Structures are given as C-alpha cells and as structure tokens.
C-alpha cells in the first residue's frame, strides 16, 4: 500500500499489484478498492494494476476543505496518474459508476496526456446522474438554495444508510434493488453493503451531490481515446437510454452488452470484465 498527496493535500491510498501495461481502476460512489473483486488479481499476471480509494472513501483521507466536487476527484485521478504512469507513457483507465464520470471530467478539464484508453465497467460516463440538476436556468441564489436543500437531504440518506447497515436482511434488499441483477451472489451484495452503508456521511453526501449535479454525457466528446463501454442488461443505475445517448458522443467507442448482468459487473462478472479490460489494453497498445 502506498500514498499520493493530491492538489489540496488530500491523502489518497493506492494499492498496486502486478507488472506490465498500467491499468488504473476508479471506484464508484461509496465504494472502496475491494469493490473490484477478483478483477485486479485476474489482470495482475500481465498488467500493473493500480486502484485507489476516492477522497473521503475507504482508507483515503477526507478533503481538508470538504471539496468533493467531480473537479476535485478528477484532480485526484491526475495525481494518481502522475505517480504511476511514467512520462511519455499512458494507462488504460477503468471506471465503475461514478468513476466513469470522474474520467469524463478529467478528460474535459485536464486532458488525456497519460490516458491511452478508457473502459466504463457499469458506468454511463456520468455516474449517478439526474440530468439537468440543478436546473441551469435558475438564478445563482436559487441554485445555491436548491443545492443546500439537497445536501441536507443527502446527509440524511447517509445517516440512514449507516444505521440500516447492521440490519443485514433489510440492507441487502436495498442493495440488491439499486445495484444488482436478480440472483446476484451474497458475497457481492455484502461487499457493496459494507462499502456503501459504511461510508463517511459528509464525503458520501457531498460526492453524491456533485455527481447528480453533473451530466457527464454532455462532456463525453472530450474522450477522444478508444473507449469501451461494458453495460449490464439489468443495470438499475445506468439505463439503456443513457448508453444510447453516450455512444454517439464517443469518438472511438465500442459497446459490449453483458446479458443478465447488473451494475457491479466487476463483482458478479469478474472473469468477463477482466477479459474485456485486457482486450482493450491490447487494442490501445496496438494503436
């Protein structure tokens, strides 16, 4: 385990294994590096796999100024890339859920110098997004009031999640509804329950607000590198409509539908997810 200090002194925890072309895994909202299941292990025989906890998540530190905007998360990704990708080389960056939105904002604001390819694994590139929130037409004061109200509501959701977590049958029912396909393995459900419902309240609420305030599909055209989209047929968080809007925006995109899969494809389809990532690394390296 190692550490990277981001632009605002937030300390990020990294886990690295294997050797070869660099693959960087970007977690979803409320998740830890454990949410990738066996994917890192499956890739590590031929790749250098780097995963890190988002600011305010897992073993990473809280943001000193409570900045959990997607722009701050994108700066964190840039700090990780600068640490693990040698000058003149590029990585394939893989995002689950919110992780896809972070990659899009990085491409929009910071470019793609160290990114040679992208994989969305259970992501539409915009995270958990309510398109158009908050309404762009609102005056600044009204927008701030709306955001404060939503932040209070999201903090309450985080409190409820923390308190529901010990009641495993109820917690697992909720997790299955929002993250999984029917019949998903108990171990996968338990991993998401422990990660999400054990999240720190302020980072979870503020990161959620940042996510639902950003429609990443608008900026997906910034992804000019080869981009693979792995989409589960039964993904409750990323509807097919979002994928249909995303794909035409990608300069070099490929869609792979995973029949029967849900949102957390790394946990429930580890072998298939790892195979697709490895295939994409080979494609990017082949030019």
């Amino acid at each position: 385990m190692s550490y990277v200090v981001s632009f605002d002194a937030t300390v990020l925890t990294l886990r690295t294994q294997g050797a070869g072309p660099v693959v960087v895994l970007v977690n979803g909202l409320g998740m830890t590096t454990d949410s990738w299941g066996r994917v890192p292990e499956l890739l590590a025989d031929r790749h250098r796999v780097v995963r890190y906890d988002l600011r305010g998540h897992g073993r990473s530190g809280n943001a000193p100024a409570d900045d959990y905007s997607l722009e701050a998360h994108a700066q964190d990704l840039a700090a990780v890339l600068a640490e693990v990708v040698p000058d003149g080389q590029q990585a394939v960056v893989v995002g689950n859920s919110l992780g896809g939105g972070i990659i899009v904002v990085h491409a929009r604001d910071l470019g793609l110098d160290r990114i040679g390819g992208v994989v969305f694994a259970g992501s539409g590139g915009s995270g958990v997004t309510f398109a158009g929130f908050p309404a762009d037409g609102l005056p600044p004061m009204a927008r701030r009031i709306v955001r404060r109200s939503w932040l209070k509501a999201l903090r309450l959701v985080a409190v409820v999640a923390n308190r529901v977590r010990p009641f495993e049958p109820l917690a697992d029912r909720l997790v299955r509804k929002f993250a999984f396909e029917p019949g998903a393995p108990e171990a996968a459900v338990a991993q998401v329950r422990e990660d999400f419902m054990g999240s720190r309240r302020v980072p979870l609420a503020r990161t959620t607000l940042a996510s639902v305030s950003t429609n990443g599909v608008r900026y997906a055209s910034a992804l000019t590198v080869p981009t693979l989209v792995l989409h589960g047929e039964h993904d409750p968080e990323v509807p097919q409509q979002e994928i249909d809007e995303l794909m035409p925006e990608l300069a070099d995109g490929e869609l792979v539908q995973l029949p029967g899969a849900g949102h957390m494809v790394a946990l429930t389809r580890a072998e298939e997810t790892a195979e697709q990532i490895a295939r994409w690394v080979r494609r990017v390296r082949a030019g």
Side-chain angles (χ1 to χ4, degrees):
M1 192 174 298
S2 58
Y3 303 91
V4 168
V5 179
S6 193
F7 73 102
D8 61 352
T10 300
V11 179
L12 307 172
T13 300
L14 277 65
R15 297 170 69 180
T16 304
Q17 61 193 107
V22 179
V23 175
V24 176
L25 307 178
V26 187
N27 306 339
L29 175 68
M31 296 294 101
T32 70
T33 55
D34 292 329
S35 65
W36 292 96
R38 295 179 56 239
V39 169
E41 172 191 342
L42 293 169
L43 288 171
D45 62 336
R46 297 185 180 181
H47 306 84
R48 184 185 182 201
V49 184
V50 179
R51 42 190 163 143
Y52 70 99
D53 283 320
L54 305 181
R55 55 178 49 215
H57 290 62
R59 296 180 179 85
S60 287
N62 291 338
D66 276 347
D67 184 357
Y68 295 98
S69 64
L70 290 200
E71 290 77 9
H73 283 288
Q75 292 275 8
D76 292 346
L77 173 57
V80 171
L81 291 170
E83 177 71 15
V84 303
V85 180
D87 290 342
Q89 297 185 29
Q90 294 182 311
V92 168
V93 183
V94 185
N96 167 244
S97 196
L98 172 69
I102 293 170
I103 295 168
V104 169
V105 173
H106 183 288
R108 181 196 69 186
D109 294 351
L110 304 171
L112 295 162
D113 286 349
R114 295 179 188 266
I115 300 176
V118 169
V119 179
F120 293 153
S123 177
S126 53
V128 186
T129 301
F130 302 154
F133 171 82
D136 293 335
L138 287 177
M141 179 62 74
R143 193 177 307 151
R144 284 195 293 271
I145 292 172
V146 169
R147 288 179 64 85
R148 281 198 296 269
S149 298
W150 269 92
L151 184 56
K152 289 179 180 178
L154 291 168
R155 281 177 173 167
L156 178 60
V157 169
V159 169
V160 171
N162 287 167
R163 292 181 178 176
V164 167
R165 177 187 176 196
F167 302 97
E168 293 184 6
L170 174 59
D172 288 358
R173 197 174 309 128
L174 293 171
V175 168
R176 285 184 181 277
K177 177 178 176 60
F178 290 107
F180 288 99
E181 67 275 23
E186 290 288 345
V189 174
Q191 181 65 61
V192 173
R193 179 224 311 143
E194 290 304 302
D195 277 2
F196 188 84
M197 293 187 169
S199 295
R200 283 165 261 172
R201 297 170 185 178
V202 171
L204 181 64
R206 288 188 175 273
T207 302
T208 304
L209 182 63
S211 176
V212 301
S213 301
T214 305
N215 184 355
V217 172
R218 292 182 183 179
Y219 315 116
S221 60
L223 288 173
T224 55
V225 297
T227 301
L228 173 65
V229 179
L230 302 178
H231 181 241
E233 177 188 14
H234 299 302
D235 189 333
E237 292 293 337
V238 184
Q240 185 63 44
Q241 179 182 350
E242 186 172 317
I243 298 298
D244 293 341
E245 292 172 357
L246 170 68
M247 296 308 298
E249 300 299 320
L250 300 174
D252 184 5
E254 178 183 325
L255 172 63
V256 173
Q257 296 279 12
L258 302 178
H263 189 54
M264 302 300 295
V265 295
L267 287 173
T268 62
R269 301 291 183 89
E271 290 81 4
E272 194 168 359
T273 299
E275 287 173 5
Q276 289 290 344
I277 294 170
R279 177 178 72 86
W280 209 245
V281 171
R282 292 193 297 271
R283 193 207 157 189
V284 168
R285 287 172 62 82

